[in-house]
Amino acid sequence: MDYNSYMARRRLQESCPICYMNRIFCICDAIPMLTLKTRVCLVVHTNELKKSSNTGRLALRALTNSEMRVRGELGETLDLSDLLSERYRTFLFYPSKDAVELSGDLLRQDARPIQLIVPDGSWRQAGKMLYRHPELKDVPRVKLDAANAPKYYLRAQHRPEGMATLQAIAHALGAIEGTAVETALMKLYDAKIERTLTAKGILHPSALAKRPTAV
Ligand SMILES: [Zn+2]
């Protein structure tokens, strides 16, 4: 193989720096650009970011009013107290026993925009996160009211609701911002699932013919 073909092949094996999929299965064309009143802050463990199955950071790519805070960096303590601004009505998206449903009644109680703090990762990791951030102890917990059953699973260990983070964020923003936002994020989620399964040889590439398009 000559050098140019070798380099071309190498490039195809690389991951896309934006969606982290293999370049052949890049899903960037399915990433919408959503500028919302609701702010999303994803709190993610550094180990979670190494997983190709992570969907939380994909949600952040789609949401201009969002940020990521990374936990578990060696020698660093993450303080989230600066997130608790009066400008936003802040909720922690975690289905603990005392969590309230993200319902119309709850949303109508306060006119301020909402900030959702979303612990990324499994139930165990999310529980650990809450334990390690006493500054969040008075932040009201919210959960989804009725979750749709996911089509496929990316991996066995899921968020507490049994969903991937992107899917959970899609449903939560659907409740707060409306169904158009939910649909756009779910198209991205479906693209991630479909292309991941195609890359693994589980789905036939012809299934990608009707590629979702960004809004
Ligand atoms: Zn990409």
Side-chain angles (χ1 to χ4, degrees), residues 13 45 61 65 71 99 113 132 165 169 171 174 176 191 199:
Q13 287 166 347
H45 192 276
R61 283 278 174 192
N65 189 14
R71 304 174 42 235
R132 295 205 175 134
T165 302
I169 291 175
H171 293 314
I176 303 167

Side-chain angles (χ1 to χ4, degrees), residues 42 48 51-60 120 154-155 163-169 188-189 192-193:
L42 189 74
E48 182 67 18
K51 297 176 185 163
S52 63
S53 59
N54 178 276
T55 61
R57 63 187 164 192
L58 270 182
L60 295 199
D120 197 1
L154 272 187
R155 60 172 194 261
M163 277 184 269
T165 302
L166 170 59
Q167 194 183 20
I169 291 175
L188 172 58
Y189 177 71
K192 166 81 176 169
I193 300 283

Side-chain angles (χ1 to χ4, degrees), residues 114-200:
I114 288 172
Q115 171 175 246
L116 268 191
I117 300 178
V118 183
D120 197 1
S122 65
W123 178 288
R124 198 174 66 87
Q125 288 162 336
K128 255 199 211 168
M129 184 207 122
L130 301 183
Y131 175 72
R132 295 205 175 134
H133 290 277
E135 68 272 28
L136 300 181
K137 75 175 177 359
D138 295 326
V139 176
R141 273 64 169 152
V142 289
K143 61 184 176 190
L144 294 171
D145 47 2
N148 300 332
K151 265 196 289 186
Y152 304 104
Y153 292 97
L154 272 187
R155 60 172 194 261
Q157 256 200 333
H158 278 273
R159 273 186 57 86
E161 304 89 340
M163 277 184 269
T165 302
L166 170 59
Q167 194 183 20
I169 291 175
H171 293 314
L173 290 179
I176 303 167
E177 297 270 353
T179 48
V181 169
E182 182 172 7
T183 306
L185 289 174
M186 284 308 291
K187 272 187 179 173
L188 172 58
Y189 177 71
D190 287 344
K192 166 81 176 169
I193 300 283
E194 284 172 8
R195 288 179 216 174
T196 300
L197 295 181
T198 310
K200 289 181 175 171

Side-chain angles (χ1 to χ4, degrees), residues 15-23 25-29 31:
S15 302
C16 167
I18 295 169
C19 67
Y20 307 99
M21 298 287 284
N22 178 295
R23 282 184 189 276
F25 299 101
C26 168
I27 50 173
C28 288
D29 62 336
I31 302 178

